[in-house]
């Protein structure tokens, strides 16, 4: 019974190049979903209600300055890491494979396989140095020459501002006010006598 409506909806969505928003029930709740055509099937993407979405303002990191050279370095790194295929060892589900090995070992009364030691992440002190190094490594792995226009920011030093000096024997108005206030406080506390009982 549902074959014809399904096929009709799929072909209509594919021909119109549009997506559909649908309401459906899941786990005892009413939800929203996005329907779109992929190959010969209709795919449902779960959506969230507004009250289920956190305000991104509370998750934002503190504001920082980013130079154009850092952006260019990040773009150069992205270009070297871009690939067309999603096949290879890094795109394998290692968790499921490891879980299958554990199940097999328990079924055969064999010792459990050893977990690989996680590498400790190194501390990145200079973002530009890390970007330059990553670009160079990625290009070397691909056999390309290192011609990226990325500048090293680690050599630049910021000049420290020297404190303002006043001519000898002169003080600023703020210093005079602070000194006068301190003298008044000292005189008041020195002149007070404790009350006798």
């Amino acid at each position: 019974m549902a074959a014809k409506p399904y096929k009709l909806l799929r072909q209509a969505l594919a021909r119109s190049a549009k997506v559909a928003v649908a309401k459906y029930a899941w786990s005892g709740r009413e939800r929203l979903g996005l329907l779109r055509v992929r190959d010969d099937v209709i795919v449902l993407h779960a959506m969230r209600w507004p009250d289920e979405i956190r305000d991104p303002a509370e998750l934002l990191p503190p504001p920082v300055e980013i130079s154009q050279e850092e952006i260019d370095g990040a773009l150069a790194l992205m270009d070297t890491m871009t690939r067309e295929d999603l096949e290879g060892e890094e795109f394998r589900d290692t968790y499921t494979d490891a879980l299958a090995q554990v199940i097999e070992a328990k079924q055969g009364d064999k010792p459990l396989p050893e977990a690989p030691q996680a590498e400790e992440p190194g501390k990145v002190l200079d973002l530009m140095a890390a970007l330059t190094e990553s670009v160079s490594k990625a290009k070397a792995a691909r056999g390309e020459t290192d011609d990226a226009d990325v500048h090293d920011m680690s050599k630049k030093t910021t000049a420290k501002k020297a404190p303002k000096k006043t001519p000898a024997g002169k003080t600023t108005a703020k210093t005079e006010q602070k000194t006068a206030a301190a003298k008044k406080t000292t005189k008041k506390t020195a002149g007070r006598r404790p009350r006798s009982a």
Side-chain angles (χ1 to χ4, degrees):
M1 293 294 291
K4 190 170 183 177
Y6 181 87
K7 188 173 183 180
L8 180 62
L9 178 60
R10 178 179 58 78
Q11 289 185 352
L13 286 174
R15 192 170 296 179
S16 67
K18 293 182 178 179
V19 295
V21 177
K23 195 182 285 187
Y24 65 99
W26 185 283
S27 299
R29 287 196 60 193
E30 197 172 53
R31 300 178 184 269
L32 282 179
L34 187 75
L35 300 175
R36 71 180 182 94
V37 177
R38 182 180 171 121
D39 298 330
D40 289 333
V41 295
I42 298 174
V43 180
L44 172 69
H45 295 276
M47 297 172 67
R48 302 279 184 189
W49 295 105
D51 63 335
E52 296 177 313
I53 301 172
R54 292 177 64 182
D55 183 12
E58 61 188 65
L59 304 174
L60 290 175
V64 293
E65 293 292 328
I66 297 177
S67 67
Q68 187 61 41
E69 292 177 348
E70 290 173 326
I71 296 172
D72 293 339
L75 289 172
L77 177 61
M78 287 171 58
D79 288 340
T80 58
M81 298 176 72
T82 301
R83 52 190 293 179
E84 297 298 325
D85 64 320
L86 293 177
E87 296 178 0
E89 193 67 23
E90 64 268 30
F91 298 110
R92 194 167 52 90
D93 186 2
T94 55
Y95 175 80
T96 304
D97 293 343
L99 186 60
Q101 290 177 2
V102 170
I103 292 171
E104 287 177 14
K106 287 192 173 186
Q107 285 178 342
D109 289 333
K110 297 176 183 176
L112 296 176
E114 293 184 12
Q117 295 293 329
E119 297 180 6
E120 293 184 8
K123 293 182 179 178
V124 179
L125 300 178
D126 186 6
L127 182 60
M128 280 306 297
L131 283 173
T132 307
E133 184 181 353
S134 297
V135 169
S136 301
K137 284 182 181 179
K139 287 192 173 188
R142 291 184 176 204
E144 298 177 10
T145 57
D146 190 13
D147 57 354
D149 188 18
V150 180
H151 303 283
D152 188 8
M153 299 291 288
S154 61
K155 295 177 183 175
K156 291 185 179 181
T157 56
T158 55
K160 292 183 178 178
K161 292 183 180 179
K164 293 182 180 179
K165 295 182 180 178
T166 57
K170 293 185 178 179
T171 58
T172 60
K174 285 186 178 179
T175 310
E176 289 177 356
Q177 289 175 354
K178 288 180 181 177
T179 309
K183 286 180 181 178
K184 285 181 182 177
T185 306
T186 309
K187 285 179 182 178
K188 285 181 181 178
T189 53
R192 288 185 188 165
R193 291 183 180 175
R195 292 182 179 178
S196 57

